[in-house]
Amino acid sequence: EYMGVLHKNKNMNTKKGESRSRSQKNNLYDKGVIAYVKKKDRIGFIDCVRMIDQVPFQFSNITDKYNPDELVNRDVEFIISESNGEMFASKITFKPIGSSTFTVLSPQREIGIINILNQNKDHQIDQIIGYVTPINNNPLETPKIEFYSSEVIKFSKTFSKPIPENGDKIEYSKLTIIATNTFYATEFSEVQNYIPLPKEKGVVVDWNN
């Protein structure tokens, strides 16, 4: 199922930054999905897999035969070109449905401790309301992984308790957003009979560099 990039810029003048390498230099193709079109103006915008902002294009840059009414949600491959300081998609060709992968779901399940920052039951579905702290041998090297309120809604339908509580141990999958290289916790499942390890106290007596 197509999952569009979270942040979109629907202006024809796209922002510029170091993250946008010009693929036409090495004749490299980008992938994406056509988000929407303006048939009257014969222009459209593509959600690009590796970029946050949408990439504009003109219908004349589509090399395959097309029906303007069937462009939206089409998977495409294209080269990012530049003219007068403005970037746009060129040499656009259609690809099979699902060719553009915006997210990567880790096949390996992980275990962590849930922490809900926003306990408001009226939060929006697409709102980040907490994070999961992974449990491993070196937690200092593992960042906290945020999750959306939609995960809590799914939680309430499958878990033994109506809502998760801070400190609950859960199993989850890590979802990576390619364009922003950010991680989110998803597909929660309950872990039973979790007993937190007791914390110890001590004093540093020696330090060796």
Side-chain angles (χ1 to χ4, degrees):
E1 182 178 355
Y2 162 56
M3 295 181 62
V5 180
L6 299 179
H7 304 287
K8 301 176 181 178
N9 175 16
K10 297 184 178 180
N11 296 324
M12 196 67 176
N13 298 327
T14 60
K15 299 177 182 178
K16 303 175 182 61
E18 293 181 356
S19 62
R20 286 191 187 78
S21 59
R22 299 171 190 172
S23 58
Q24 76 273 17
K25 283 187 175 181
N26 299 314
N27 203 34
L28 298 177
Y29 281 85
D30 277 286
K31 292 183 178 181
V33 173
I34 296 178
Y36 77 104
V37 297
K38 295 181 179 180
K39 291 186 289 183
K40 183 178 179 180
D41 299 324
R42 298 187 62 78
I43 61 173
F45 296 83
I46 300 172
D47 279 336
C48 181
V49 167
R50 69 179 181 91
M51 298 168 63
I52 298 176
D53 293 341
Q54 292 177 329
V55 182
F57 69 92
Q58 296 182 355
F59 286 10
S60 59
N61 286 319
I62 301 175
T63 59
D64 293 335
K65 293 182 179 180
Y66 66 91
N67 180 342
D69 295 325
E70 299 177 354
L71 288 177
V72 176
N73 292 332
R74 291 293 301 270
D75 283 76
V76 292
E77 194 173 65
F78 57 95
I79 287 180
I80 296 179
S81 301
E82 183 176 342
S83 177
N84 298 324
E86 300 296 335
M87 292 187 178
F88 62 94
S90 64
K91 298 183 179 179
I92 302 170
T93 57
F94 298 127
K95 294 299 175 182
I97 296 175
S99 299
S100 304
T101 303
F102 290 81
T103 60
V104 177
L105 187 64
S106 173
Q108 182 176 356
R109 299 281 286 171
E110 300 183 23
I111 296 177
I113 304 299
I114 194 170
N115 191 316
I116 301 177
L117 303 177
N118 184 354
Q119 297 286 353
N120 183 6
K121 295 182 180 180
D122 297 327
H123 46 58
Q124 299 177 0
I125 293 180
D126 59 351
Q127 181 181 1
I128 293 177
I129 63 167
Y131 60 85
V132 175
T133 302
I135 298 177
N136 53 32
N137 295 329
N138 193 353
L140 295 179
E141 295 183 357
T142 305
K144 300 172 181 177
I145 303 177
E146 296 176 319
F147 62 87
Y148 283 84
S149 53
S150 56
E151 299 301 329
V152 175
I153 295 174
K154 290 187 290 185
F155 182 108
S156 63
K157 295 179 180 179
T158 59
F159 279 43
S160 59
K161 58 180 68 176
I163 59 173
E165 299 175 358
N166 288 342
D168 280 349
K169 184 179 181 183
I170 63 167
E171 189 176 64
Y172 64 95
S173 295
K174 185 166 65 176
L175 182 73
T176 303
I177 308 297
I178 296 176
T180 56
N181 195 31
T182 51
F183 308 98
Y184 297 95
T186 185
E187 297 186 358
F188 292 172
S189 61
E190 193 170 15
V191 178
Q192 300 286 353
N193 302 324
Y194 171 60
I195 302 177
L197 295 176
K199 294 184 178 180
E200 302 287 348
K201 295 182 179 180
V203 177
V204 177
V205 297
D206 190 18
W207 186 268
N208 188 346
N209 292 329

